[in-house]
Each structure stands twice: as structure tokens, then as C-alpha cells.
Amino acid sequence: MSAIVTIKGDDGIIVAFDTISYDMDGTVLSTTACKVLPLMELNCIIGNVGAAGVTTALRDKIAAKYADFDDLLAGIVDDFRDVHDDLVQLYWQEPGPTPNATVMLGGWSGQRNQFETYRLSSRDKEIVTEGELSTSPAFSLVPTDGCWVSSAYNAEDMRRFGVDFENEANLINLAVRIVCACRAASSARGTGDFEGVPYGVGGQLQMLLLERGRITQWVTHRWPDEVGKPLDAAAGDPLPDWLTQPSS
């Protein structure tokens, strides 16, 4: 599992994410891959954390199938269920855990004249909304307003990396800082939505900006993680050099 951060605004959607995949023991990096993909023809983006390959499989499944983002929203749950069923058949080995994934998607809704972001998980999830705990059923499309982080993080890492949800005016900076703080929480024990499952953040820190009729994507930072070797979350510069280093 990796880290994806989405921040939705009136004028667009900002996404920051890392690019590593690793073996199920959470010890050795197996590959690097882009976790969030632009779908220019639908003016939207789609990505996932958890089981590898879901984003690419979904992209292939929905190619030339939908007219726009609103059309996609009407069919994405069934598409994700099909992709997940295929994933289980291909990779699940008893008594191991069933592969799970959480998909994020965002785009411009012509019906509601606004940018929208959602998450979609293959298992039931507990969520907190305005202080109230509830359960979001598996394979249900859930809106994510404001800033959404796919991974749990601890308050100390947020402070060290200068994350300020209330006062940060530059939302790209905010998204970058959050992903970097998530890297500091990398653990073979897992965290948050995937507690008990190996968790790591690294490789490249990529950015994606979705606006009306335009999608821009770039690499803003690299960590020296090597395929075939264990992840060392302390390796490399914690933050891009254009951001202040975390305080001691």
C-alpha cells in the first residue's frame, strides 16, 4: 500500500502520491509504478492503494465505455467489483488475506457544475464524519470533500513536516508535505485502512493537477529506493529541496 492525497478546490483537484510496490512481506521493493492515471477523454483521474494493478485494470475496463465523468460515476462500482473479483481469482491463496484495494477518482461533473472526488473500497470501512463514527459498506461510492489522505499518519510526523491543514495557503505544498510525512510512518505492520498489511511510501513523489479541460502531471521529488532491496524510510531527503526541511 502507498499514499495518495487528494485536495479538491473550486478550480481543480490536486493529487500527490508515491510510486512503489513491494512484496507481501513488506520487506523488499518489487517495482515502481504510477498509482494515479489521467483519463483525458473523461476529464478525470483514477488511482488506487492496496492491491497492485487495480488502476491499470480499471482504466482498461472503462476505456471507450463512458461519455463523461458523470457517466463513469454511474458504472464505476460494478466495474471495480469485476476487477476485484478477477484479482481475487488470480492472486488469492488460502489462508492468506483476500486482496483489498481502495480506489480514488476525481473529475468535473457537468451535471452538478463542480469538481468532485470519491473513494471506493473493496471492504467495509469505519469512517468519522463530523465526530461521528459509522461504517461505509464495501463497494460503495463515498464522496471525499476537502483533503483526503489514503493512509493513516501520526500527529508528530505532521508537525515535523510542517503540515498545517488550517493555515497552509499553497495546497500543492500541503499535499507534498502530507505524502512525505506518510513515508516517515512506513511500517511492515501497516497502518490506517490497511492495518496489519505492510505499508510503505517511496520511489517518486508525483503530482497531478486536474483543471477544466487540462490535466498536468510531474515528478516533484525522488527517494533513493531500489527495486530488490528493503525500503528504508530514512533514506534520502525527507522533503523536496524547495520546501523547508522538517524540524528536529
Side-chain angles (χ1 to χ4, degrees):
M1 191 191 72
S2 297
I4 297 177
V5 177
T6 63
I7 301 178
K8 184 186 69 173
D10 293 336
D11 300 322
I13 299 170
I14 296 167
V15 187
F17 54 97
D18 76 307
T19 61
I20 62 167
S21 295
Y22 38 83
D23 62 15
M24 286 306 297
D25 292 331
T27 56
V28 176
L29 273 66
S30 58
T31 187
T32 59
C34 183
K35 305 294 179 65
V36 180
L37 299 177
L39 302 175
M40 284 295 301
E41 66 277 13
L42 301 179
N43 198 29
C44 74
I45 52 179
I46 188 167
N48 89 281
V49 293
V54 171
T55 301
T56 302
L58 270 175
R59 180 197 60 190
D60 294 344
K61 190 173 185 63
I62 65 181
K65 185 177 180 181
Y66 299 108
D68 55 25
F69 181 62
D70 293 304
D71 200 18
L72 172 64
L73 292 178
I76 188 64
V77 173
D78 289 338
D79 290 337
F80 178 45
R81 193 189 302 273
D82 290 343
V83 166
H84 183 260
D85 288 348
D86 291 343
L87 185 72
V88 170
Q89 292 181 20
L90 284 171
Y91 297 112
W92 184 41
Q93 296 181 351
E94 295 186 89
T98 302
N100 285 296
T102 295
V103 169
M104 61 72 55
L105 63 157
W108 173 261
S109 169
Q111 294 180 3
R112 289 169 291 280
N113 200 37
Q114 62 184 12
F115 286 100
E116 297 178 350
T117 52
Y118 297 85
R119 68 165 177 80
L120 176 61
S121 181
S122 62
R123 66 177 181 178
D124 294 348
K125 296 167 66 68
E126 289 188 340
I127 59 175
V128 177
T129 304
E130 296 182 354
E132 297 293 328
L133 181 65
S134 62
T135 298
S136 172
F139 300 105
S140 59
L141 195 60
V142 179
T144 58
D145 290 326
C147 179
W148 175 76
V149 184
S150 67
S151 314
Y153 47 80
N154 63 64
E156 177 60 22
D157 287 333
M158 292 292 115
R159 185 193 68 79
R160 286 199 309 117
F161 282 82
V163 175
D164 188 341
F165 290 99
E166 299 297 327
N167 299 309
E168 177 60 76
N170 188 316
L171 298 183
I172 289 179
N173 288 4
L174 176 62
V176 168
R177 289 181 185 277
I178 294 172
V179 172
C180 292
C182 287
R183 175 176 169 84
S186 297
S187 167
R189 299 184 302 276
T191 183
D193 293 345
F194 293 84
E195 186 173 356
V197 178
Y199 168 70
V201 174
Q204 298 177 349
L205 200 170
Q206 294 193 16
M207 301 295 301
L208 193 150
L209 175 62
L210 172 67
E211 301 170 284
R212 292 285 304 273
R214 181 171 63 180
I215 301 176
T216 307
Q217 189 167 357
W218 69 99
V219 176
T220 193
H221 190 50
R222 289 178 171 86
W223 292 290
D225 304 313
E226 297 185 40
V227 172
K229 294 185 178 181
L231 172 67
D232 179 4
D237 294 329
L239 283 165
D241 56 12
W242 46 272
L243 285 176
T244 304
Q245 295 294 312
S247 58
S248 59

